[in-house]
Amino acid sequence: MSQQTPGTTATQAPQGDAFENLSQENRRFAPSAGFAANAVVTSADYAEADADRPAFWAKQARELLSWSKDFTQALDWSNPPFAKWFVGGEVNAAYNALDRHVEAGNGDRVAIYFEGEPGDTRTYTYAQLTEEVKKAANAFESLGVAKGDRVAVYLPMIPEAVITLLACARIGAIHSVVFGGFSAEALRSRIDDAEAKLVVTADGTYRRGKPSALKPAVDEALAHDGHTVQNVVVVKRNGQDVDWHEGRDHWWADTVGAASAEHTAVGHDSEHPLFILYTSGTTGKPKGILHTTGGYLTQGAYTHKAVFDLHPETDVYWCTADVGWITGHSYVAYAPLINGATQVMYEGTPDSPHQGRWWEIVEKYKVSILYTAPTAIRTFMKWGKEIPAKSDLSSIRVLGSVGEPINPEAWMWYREVIGADSGRKSIPAPIVDTWWQTETGAQMIAPLPGVTATKPGSAQVPLPGIAVDVVDELGESVPNGSGGYLVIREPWPAMLRGIWGDPERFKETYWSRFETMYFAGDGAKKDEDGDIWLLGRVDDVMNVSGHRLSTAEIESALVSHPAVAEAAVVGAADETTGQAVVAFVILRGDAVDSGDAIVAELRNHVGKEIGPIAKPKTILVVPELPKTRSGKIMRRLLKDVAEGREVGDATTLADNTVMAQIAHSLKK
Ligand code: WTA
């Protein structure tokens, strides 16, 4: 999810008549009376937060976390854009995620149901997970890791990933997770930038039924002189042979396994750095987004409770994001455990060993809250609704979406096929579309499932205590029915505190476009009700004959056609119109590629959905779309194809044969 982040200054925003043709979404799904009656958060939170934003967050901080030293001030904004939240307070993230639940008598509650790709399983209660984290904390300390040191983490989706993060947090070490799908080179640059002292990795993992390696990338990343890494801890996951560097490398089982399970957590300053997470902008080297402790944990815990209507005693929560991305940090490693939830963690791909794996997992663990990305939903649509229909999905009561705009078609499919268990459930689960970023640390815009009447495709409303707006070029708030730039007007608890080692870049990237507001890099519109629709990154916005068009919206229109499974739209340079809309589409399994006829039909369909101006000039039917390992479509590569250039750097693609497949299919 992290390939598209702010970084470039936008040159154009969707505004004015670009929105003329947007159809107003009239479907509304109000919460059922039963759901609303049992909801953990009511509309009172909006009013309370509006009355006094810092006081609202201070209340949440005290209610949701146990502070070893209370704070004296909710917010210090005397030196913008550098915020301090919960000033003077001390808190330990791991104690809050673990020990206190055991102390409260919930040690036997399941914290993690782990499902390995080959089918192996492990269950950790809160008591067991606490013990593992204490051991890991002792082991890391015995390897010389102290408060403030950086620990690079290069692990698959296995419980040791969560254990490692919490062990770092416990001792005040700053973790820097590098997604397991990144290359050795990407790992090297991140290790070097953060000057990591320790690396935690695994021999490998499983991918689509086959063992795949991780340790060789670490060895390669450390193959140069002058790096700062002293030790490497290696989890044995798939038993592959690994090169061993005596003295530097240590098996997890020997170090963590042998360590003492006694470890006292001390409070760290509320503003003590918790982690760095690198995210790539469109240009330049990846930015190390820095998050600190008290505010991050508070907003994570509040949003996890409010947006998912969490009832920790009874819910089984499953967030499908990898811990290598911000969603896996905030909504796998931290917030669910802070809130005492029971969660599922799955190692592998959705189609291993078959396309029904996720739904079997939902049935097996009776998952009640599912949080995933639109790209996954559209993939399942492509595979067909018969597949989820084979499993009992009746346990699901809340569905979440994150990472990209969810088109109304996918939203409705999610509701009907997953949320209503293919029609077997009379009251479908509410869908919460959550907008946020690596930089925001936690959810910012989302419906509250017991309060908001949801609308297919819209993230709708800023959460209580969050001041989001849509503004024009000059930073003026736009009226309902218009579009512009998404900004955040007031500091929020989980906001990034900077870019590791580069305070100027932090100001320049996020706070220079509109001086006193955070510029998110996304285009958005307010509909007639004032609900917010995310329109994709402003760097993906096209300008066709002076009309501004959103790639996301045209994609949504294309995908709403029954023949289309997935679509990606780019703006290609055009002599006459400035830019022209070029669409790449994957047809559904059962749709026949009838060549020109389907292309003409799809053009007309887009014309009908949005307006003639949005009709793609070219539609190319392709077998696959280039996606990063986190599922983001790499439009840059498609733009290269559309503009007839040699395709640029494709190293971050999940499947590096995709561009060749596309080239081949276009030759035919
Ligand atoms: C996009 C992921 C529309 C957006 C948590 C943002 C979304 C970028 C949504 C951040 C959503 C995320 N609707 N767009 N619900 N959620 N985005 O840093 O463009 O990986 O700026 O964080 O994803 O991606 P990141």
Side-chain angles (χ1 to χ4, degrees):
M1 295 176 193
S2 289
Q3 301 312 306
Q4 304 178 345
T5 44
T8 45
T9 310
T11 50
Q12 40 178 301
Q15 285 176 44
D17 54 72
F19 297 92
E20 240 167 40
N21 296 317
L22 279 175
S23 51
Q24 174 83 9
E25 172 62 63
N26 290 319
R27 287 172 290 193
R28 282 288 191 339
F29 301 101
S32 70
F35 195 105
N38 291 313
V40 293
V41 166
T42 69
S43 61
D45 277 24
Y46 293 113
E48 202 185 320
D50 281 350
D52 187 339
R53 194 182 314 276
F56 170 79
W57 285 118
K59 180 181 155 194
Q60 300 306 328
R62 291 194 175 102
E63 268 181 25
L64 295 164
L65 300 177
S66 308
W67 295 77
S68 48
K69 187 172 158 220
D70 194 15
F71 49 89
T72 51
Q73 189 186 357
L75 168 67
D76 175 356
W77 190 234
S78 57
N79 179 30
F82 299 94
K84 289 189 182 136
W85 280 92
F86 312 128
V87 183
E90 288 178 4
V91 66
N92 187 292
Y95 174 81
N96 274 273
L98 300 164
D99 311 47
R100 65 170 179 156
H101 301 309
V102 180
E103 288 166 12
N106 292 321
D108 291 338
R109 185 183 295 168
V110 172
I112 298 178
Y113 286 119
F114 169 67
E115 177 96 7
E117 195 189 85
D120 57 318
T121 60
R122 279 188 263 165
T123 299
Y124 290 86
T125 63
Y126 271 91
Q128 289 165 332
L129 197 64
T130 304
E131 190 170 319
E132 291 303 317
V133 169
K134 288 180 174 178
K135 285 174 157 185
N138 281 322
F140 296 171
E141 281 181 334
S142 75
L143 292 172
V145 178
K147 184 167 175 170
D149 287 342
R150 274 78 62 203
V151 174
V153 182
Y154 190 63
L155 281 169
M157 269 308 269
I158 55 177
E160 286 82 356
V162 172
I163 293 167
T164 297
L165 268 48
L166 292 173
C168 289
R170 192 173 186 94
I171 63 180
I174 305 166
H175 56 75
S176 167
V177 181
V178 181
F179 177 57
F182 275 123
S183 65
E185 175 52 28
L187 178 61
R188 185 200 59 73
S189 66
R190 287 159 173 79
I191 288 174
D192 288 353
D193 187 71
E195 300 179 291
K197 206 169 182 183
L198 172 72
V199 178
V200 183
T201 188
D203 52 356
T205 179
Y206 296 92
R207 225 68 205 146
R208 298 211 158 79
K210 288 195 223 80
S212 77
L214 280 171
K215 173 81 165 37
V218 175
D219 293 336
E220 207 182 316
L222 299 182
H224 63 290
D225 291 335
H227 67 72
T228 47
V229 174
Q230 294 168 359
N231 293 286
V232 177
V233 172
V234 188
V235 178
K236 188 173 271 182
R237 171 63 188 138
N238 65 13
Q240 283 198 317
D241 279 345
V242 289
D243 283 344
W244 204 252
H245 293 243
E246 231 24 88
R248 186 198 75 186
D249 295 351
H250 315 269
W251 286 112
W252 176 282
D254 297 339
T255 45
V256 177
S260 157
E262 297 295 319
H263 188 279
T264 308
V266 298
H268 301 301
D269 189 273
S270 179
E271 284 297 336
H272 181 66
L274 187 61
F275 65 86
I276 306 166
L277 184 58
Y278 287 84
T279 179
S280 13
T282 32
T283 53
K285 65 180 178 113
K287 303 179 286 251
I289 302 299
L290 176 68
H291 282 287
T292 61
T293 309
Y296 173 81
L297 296 177
T298 298
Q299 194 180 331
Y302 173 74
T303 53
H304 182 256
K305 173 182 111 171
V307 173
F308 298 126
D309 186 46
L310 182 78
H311 292 73
E313 310 78 19
T314 47
D315 274 318
V316 177
Y317 164 83
W318 181 21
C319 167
T320 65
D322 191 282
V323 82
W325 309 113
I326 191 67
T327 308
H329 281 61
S330 305
Y331 297 100
V332 176
Y334 288 105
L337 297 170
I338 297 284
N339 286 340
T342 295
Q343 70 177 318
V344 171
M345 184 175 192
Y346 172 56
E347 177 185 26
T349 47
D351 54 354
S352 193
H354 58 78
Q355 295 173 340
R357 182 71 185 270
W358 276 24
W359 315 116
E360 286 180 358
I361 292 174
V362 168
E363 175 173 333
K364 176 173 173 185
Y365 296 104
K366 299 197 166 37
V367 170
S368 57
I369 304 170
L370 178 68
Y371 191 29
T372 193
T375 185
I377 298 163
R378 289 193 297 266
T379 301
F380 293 124
M381 286 173 77
K382 189 165 71 178
W383 291 345
K385 58 177 190 274
E386 320 72 56
I387 293 170
K390 285 185 198 142
S391 297
D392 176 1
L393 309 181
S394 59
S395 54
I396 289 180
R397 53 174 215 93
V398 178
L399 292 172
S401 176
V402 61
E404 46 180 327
I406 177 165
N407 49 297
E409 283 299 302
W411 198 100
M412 288 305 296
W413 189 94
Y414 200 25
R415 175 179 165 89
E416 283 158 13
V417 179
I418 308 304
D421 198 8
S422 292
R424 290 180 289 235
K425 238 162 78 176
S426 56
I427 303 177
I431 295 176
V432 285
D433 176 13
T434 64
W435 178 89
W436 58 295
Q437 310 174 299
T438 304
E439 292 85 344
T440 69
Q443 296 162 349
M444 303 292 281
I445 308 176
L448 292 179
V451 178
T452 318
T454 56
K455 262 183 206 175
S458 171
Q460 294 184 291
V461 267
L463 286 164
I466 300 298
V468 165
D469 200 359
V470 182
V471 300
D472 64 18
E473 287 291 338
L474 301 172
E476 300 291 333
S477 190
V478 302
N480 288 354
S482 306
Y485 298 106
L486 190 74
V487 295
I488 307 166
R489 287 186 175 277
E490 300 288 339
W492 64 102
M495 67 194 284
L496 75 163
R497 298 303 196 263
I499 294 174
W500 183 254
D502 203 345
E504 275 314 306
R505 193 172 174 201
F506 170 55
K507 287 191 196 166
E508 159 69 32
T509 308
Y510 306 102
W511 303 91
S512 62
R513 181 67 183 79
F514 306 105
E515 242 168 77
T516 56
M517 296 181 257
Y518 171 89
F519 171 45
D522 280 48
K525 70 154 177 157
K526 294 180 192 164
D527 68 15
E528 294 302 339
D529 304 320
D531 281 328
I532 295 172
W533 291 71
L534 280 312
L535 299 173
R537 304 292 309 191
V538 283
D539 23 26
D540 287 334
V541 166
M542 301 166 293
N543 188 328
V544 181
S545 305
H547 295 268
R548 278 97 186 241
L549 294 168
S550 152
T551 54
E553 206 188 356
I554 299 177
E555 287 166 5
S556 177
L558 284 165
V559 176
S560 75
H561 188 281
V564 177
E566 276 203 77
V569 167
V570 297
D574 186 280
E575 266 180 18
T576 350
T577 56
Q579 280 190 312
V581 180
V582 177
F584 295 78
V585 298
I586 305 180
L587 297 179
R588 278 188 200 240
D590 51 356
V592 226
D593 177 6
S594 48
D596 292 350
I598 189 79
V599 167
E601 190 179 322
L602 292 178
R603 289 188 77 239
N604 288 332
H605 180 71
V606 173
K608 205 173 95 235
E609 289 288 300
I610 305 171
I613 182 68
K615 276 189 186 178
K617 183 176 181 197
T618 313
I619 296 184
L620 301 166
V621 176
V622 292
E624 280 298 337
L625 290 172
K627 287 184 190 156
T628 63
R629 296 177 183 93
S630 61
K632 284 242 159 90
I633 293 172
M634 289 188 75
R635 289 190 181 74
R636 173 170 63 75
L637 300 178
L638 293 175
K639 210 168 163 157
D640 291 345
V641 173
E643 299 183 345
R645 262 196 310 274
E646 200 185 341
V647 171
D649 181 11
T651 48
T652 51
L653 282 183
D655 176 356
N656 57 21
T657 66
V658 165
M659 293 317 294
Q661 288 181 46
I662 291 175
H664 182 73
S665 74
L666 297 181
K667 261 194 217 116
K668 276 198 296 192

